[in-house]
Amino acid sequence: MRLASFQITNFRSINDSGLIDSTQITAILGRNDSGKSNLLRALHSLNPAEGIAELSPIKDFPRHRRLEECTGDTPVVFTRWSLDEGEQAELAAILPRAAGVRHVTASRGYAAARSAGFEGLGALSLDVSDTKAKVRKIVPAVKAAAEKVADEAAKAALEQETDVFDAAMIMSPDYIKWSAGAIKAAQALRKALAVSGAELSDKQDQMLAELEETALSIANDAPALERAQEWVIGKLPRFVYVDEYPALPGRQNIAEYLGREGWGQLTPEQRSFGKLCKVAGLDLRQLQALLDRNDQATRNQLVNRAGSVVTAEIRRIWKDRALKVRFNLDGQYLDTLVSDPNAAYEVEVNLEERSRGFQWFFSFYVAFFADTRGGNAEDAVLLLDEPGLHLHPHSQADLLAHLEKDFGNQIVYTTHSPFMVPAHRLDAVRTASLSETAGTTVSNAAEGDERTLFPLKAALALSRMASEPVKQEVSKPVVATPEPVKPAPAKPAKSAKSAEAAAVIPAPAKTEAAKPEPVKAEPAKSELAKPLAVESAKPMEAAPAAVAAPAPVIPVPEPAKVVAPAKAEAVKPETVEPAVVESAKPAEAAPVAVAAPAVAPVEVLAPATPEPAKPVVAESPKPVEPVAAVPVAVAAEPVEAPVAQRVEEQAVAVSQQVERSAEVD
């Protein structure tokens, strides 16, 4: 039988869930505390593996209602089941009028009792007018035959039974009661006919036989109906409800397991270990006997084969990575080891040390593989409460595929995860909602508020994204070609006729640094100042700006090189006053850009004829034309460049060099 639909009433948060359609796999979505688990628990109570038991009104009856309303007959679970052709024929053989019945029902209340019903069961077939017509023909014929009987006692007895038969054949609404009286009266009439020797015609005898058959079929319907109801209850699949899975130990003592198994005192962990041995094909008693004979080679061969069997199944359903399962014998102990052969280092660890998600999946596989193949869950309806909570989303999708493909069982489960929603089978999705007045209700049309429908919407979006690949346009790289920075042309400074040549240092661009102080040149001790050729600093070539330029750097001119002058006849001046060289006023320049303008070279020319030195005031150079800076995307950090200080130091160095040259001469 296959579960077609079910309905839960009067249980915890559920007043009336409504009729919930069921398919091969049914997913129930809903918010937290919407009553999804209550649906599974109530359904499980119809036919649990441990047997039916009474429900507790104090614990299970809706708490907003009075306990006096709850009785043993208060309905809780109603289920509707589909029959295949073989089951239909089997039912018709038990209850003839059930021929053509394709659906049966099973229900329970708070008492530990169940009832069954039959959809489309035909009513008891009884043609009242035909029955009356036959009785009207049989009774006169029997009385006519009684007149011919010579024995008065036999004649009187036959007439009396004829009157009883006539009264018993009067129809009543209770067909079962009528059939019992009709059968008894017909049998007494035949006995009286036989004693008296009276005979009926063949036609009249045939009509009496038909009345007997009709009454007998009705009388036999009650026990047949009872047997058919028992057949339905006996055909119900078991319900297996799972919300938590017992841990599977990675190390087990074989001798201890066998001892507790014999006493019937296995722990949940040991029962899980027994299921693992069933899946792997290991006979623990055989392993123990081989240990007693000290046959380690055979023991190792058996566990190696078992590890290969489990590894093949795990790799088929666990798509996250290809893992290897191996069993290791250590005397009385059996260890379950798991490794990743594709990793850089194949390290084996105990099953208990693997991730929580893999432990859950492994325990789930072992438990249901063992239980659905010859165990108590074979052909059972599996009720799973939030399966796969510890799994990665992709592993949850693998679990859903595993439930659909590898299980012949019907499955009803609850979930919040979009990856556990069968988006390709929306007919299998149900939604549960909770309201203060109606309690928990379930919709077959996937209706509800935004939170209730969120997993379904997300599952549909993920399914659409998976079926429609995203088109990515390849963008062409943009190559920026910056214009080279042209340095401003340098203009030579005017020469000064003086015994002592003073170098004119160009003023730097205006910065935040302190203003340079005037530099006073020391008077030359030589009789005649020799012309000096001061090499100007080489202008720095401006590098082309890149797309992303580094922080700007202000070029600093190199110190001027002093070339010793040629010897000349000294002319002793009468009086040489020290020349005061005023520092050039800084030119008003544009703000510092990424590429600073190059410094123009300055050349000092000696006079043709030496004349007495006069105070010379150096002319300030013309302002340097600012060069347009190339905009750079990266903001430059503030530059700390003590340019004024460096200019002052260079001026002092030039003066000292001139003084030393004069002393040499």
Side-chain angles (χ1 to χ4, degrees):
M1 296 195 303
R2 308 292 290 178
L3 181 63
S5 58
F6 63 96
Q7 182 177 10
I8 308 300
T9 56
N10 306 309
F11 186 83
R12 300 190 181 183
S13 64
I14 308 169
N15 292 322
D16 187 352
S17 67
L19 197 63
I20 306 169
D21 294 336
S22 178
T23 59
Q24 177 65 25
I25 182 169
T26 305
I28 301 178
L29 313 182
R31 303 173 61 173
N32 290 329
D33 293 330
S34 59
K36 302 185 301 298
S37 299
N38 291 338
L39 292 167
L40 301 186
R41 291 190 181 100
L43 186 58
H44 172 250
S45 70
L46 178 64
N47 193 32
E50 57 273 14
I52 190 171
E54 291 184 356
L55 298 178
S56 172
I58 297 177
K59 179 180 178 181
D60 298 326
F61 192 68
R63 299 189 179 183
H64 65 282
R65 297 164 59 183
R66 299 174 62 88
L67 280 176
E68 290 78 4
E69 300 178 31
C70 182
T71 65
D73 296 331
T74 301
V76 176
V77 182
F78 171 83
T79 57
R80 181 172 176 266
W81 303 83
S82 301
L83 304 179
D84 58 27
E85 294 182 357
E87 292 168 337
Q88 293 177 33
E90 189 176 349
L91 176 61
I94 299 173
L95 182 63
R97 64 188 179 98
V101 172
R102 292 177 173 80
H103 292 88
V104 297
T105 62
S107 57
R108 70 155 297 170
Y110 273 82
R114 292 169 293 200
S115 60
F118 307 89
E119 285 190 5
L121 180 64
L124 291 172
S125 58
L126 180 61
D127 191 342
V128 177
S129 59
D130 180 68
T131 301
K132 290 181 178 180
K134 291 176 180 178
V135 171
R136 286 196 297 266
K137 293 179 180 180
I138 293 174
V139 171
V142 173
K143 288 185 177 181
E147 292 295 334
K148 300 177 181 180
V149 176
D151 188 349
E152 292 295 332
K155 177 181 178 181
L158 181 57
E159 290 177 348
Q160 182 180 359
E161 294 298 335
T162 303
D163 293 337
V164 172
F165 174 80
D166 189 16
M169 288 298 169
I170 298 175
M171 301 302 300
S172 67
D174 189 349
Y175 287 173
I176 301 297
K177 185 177 180 180
W178 172 86
S179 64
I183 292 172
K184 184 178 180 180
Q187 292 175 350
L189 180 59
R190 283 193 177 278
K191 184 177 181 181
L193 286 171
V195 171
S196 64
E199 294 182 357
L200 297 175
S201 64
D202 293 341
K203 186 176 182 180
Q204 294 166 351
D205 188 72
Q206 179 65 29
M207 287 189 292
L208 180 59
E210 291 175 357
L211 289 175
E212 288 178 311
E213 184 179 354
T214 300
L216 186 62
S217 64
I218 294 175
N220 290 337
D221 185 80
L225 179 61
E226 185 177 351
R227 290 195 303 272
Q229 291 173 339
E230 293 175 353
W231 177 85
V232 170
I233 300 301
K235 279 286 186 177
L236 285 178
R238 289 181 176 178
F239 289 95
V240 177
Y241 172 72
V242 181
D243 56 350
E244 293 184 1
Y245 299 85
L248 186 61
R251 184 176 178 85
Q252 187 63 249
N253 189 314
I254 299 176
E256 180 182 352
Y257 173 87
L258 294 175
R260 296 183 68 91
E261 183 186 33
W263 302 329
Q265 298 178 353
L266 290 176
T267 64
E269 291 77 10
Q270 288 175 330
R271 282 194 290 269
S272 297
F273 174 70
K275 293 177 181 179
L276 173 60
C277 293
K278 178 181 178 181
V279 172
L282 284 175
D283 186 348
L284 295 180
R285 297 187 183 279
Q286 181 184 14
L287 292 178
Q288 186 66 20
L290 291 172
L291 177 63
D292 296 339
R293 296 199 300 267
N294 198 24
D295 189 353
Q296 296 296 339
T298 304
R299 295 181 84 212
N300 291 332
Q301 290 175 0
L302 291 175
V303 296
N304 287 341
R305 180 184 297 273
S308 299
V309 170
V310 176
T311 297
E313 281 298 308
I314 289 298
R315 289 185 177 181
R316 183 179 64 85
I317 59 179
W318 178 257
K319 304 297 184 182
D320 187 73
R321 65 182 66 181
L323 299 179
K324 178 182 178 181
V325 179
R326 187 176 72 86
F327 297 107
N328 181 67
L329 287 169
D330 182 12
Q332 295 282 1
Y333 291 91
L334 178 65
D335 297 322
T336 304
L337 305 176
V338 183
S339 63
D340 186 356
N342 295 327
Y345 303 98
E346 184 179 354
V347 179
E348 283 187 329
V349 297
N350 194 281
L351 175 63
E352 297 176 356
E353 299 177 12
R354 298 297 300 191
S355 67
R356 180 70 181 274
F358 179 77
Q359 288 188 55
W360 183 95
F361 196 94
F362 192 82
S363 300
F364 175 86
Y365 159 73
V366 167
F368 282 97
F369 185 95
D371 290 342
T372 57
R373 289 166 173 80
N376 60 359
E378 187 173 13
D379 298 328
V381 177
L382 305 182
L383 309 176
L384 310 180
D385 200 354
E386 301 290 347
L389 281 178
H390 303 289
L391 297 179
H392 184 274
H394 283 292
S395 297
Q396 290 181 347
D398 294 339
L399 174 62
L400 178 59
H402 177 49
L403 297 179
E404 292 180 316
K405 297 177 182 178
D406 296 335
F407 286 86
N409 306 67
Q410 279 190 276
I411 300 175
V412 182
Y413 69 96
T414 63
T415 187
H416 296 133
S417 172
F419 295 90
M420 288 295 295
V421 177
H424 59 289
R425 295 182 55 183
L426 295 181
D427 61 321
V429 178
R430 311 287 178 261
T431 53
S433 303
L434 178 66
S435 65
E436 294 183 0
T437 56
T440 299
T441 56
V442 179
S443 172
N444 294 317
E447 300 173 345
D449 57 19
E450 184 66 24
R451 287 179 177 268
T452 300
L453 296 178
F454 175 79
L456 176 59
K457 292 181 178 180
L460 293 174
L462 291 170
S463 177
R464 185 164 54 251
M465 291 173 61
S467 60
E468 298 178 1
V470 180
K471 297 181 180 179
Q472 297 182 352
E473 296 183 358
V474 180
S475 58
K476 297 181 179 180
V478 179
V479 180
T481 305
E483 296 181 358
V485 179
K486 297 180 180 180
K491 295 182 179 181
K494 295 181 179 180
S495 61
K497 296 179 180 181
S498 172
E500 296 179 3
V504 179
I505 307 300
K510 188 175 183 180
T511 63
E512 295 296 330
K515 296 181 179 180
E517 297 179 357
V519 180
K520 295 182 180 181
E522 297 291 337
K525 294 182 180 181
S526 60
E527 295 179 356
L528 180 64
K530 304 296 181 180
L532 298 177
V534 181
E535 294 183 3
S536 61
K538 297 181 180 180
M540 297 183 64
E541 297 181 358
V547 176
V553 179
I554 298 177
V556 180
E558 298 178 358
K561 296 181 180 180
V562 180
V563 180
K567 291 185 178 181
E569 294 182 359
V571 179
K572 187 176 182 180
E574 296 180 0
T575 304
V576 179
E577 297 181 357
V580 179
V581 181
E582 296 182 1
S583 61
K585 296 181 181 180
E588 296 292 332
V592 178
V594 175
V599 180
V602 179
E603 182 179 358
V604 180
L605 301 178
T609 304
E611 294 181 3
K614 295 181 180 180
V616 179
V617 178
E619 296 181 4
S620 61
K622 294 183 179 181
V624 181
E625 296 180 4
V627 181
V630 179
V632 181
V634 180
E637 298 180 356
V639 180
E640 297 180 1
V643 179
Q645 181 180 355
R646 294 183 182 181
V647 171
E648 181 181 357
E649 292 174 355
Q650 291 176 6
V652 173
V654 170
S655 299
Q656 293 176 354
Q657 186 69 26
V658 171
E659 181 180 355
R660 286 195 296 271
S661 299
E663 291 177 354
V664 171
D665 294 338

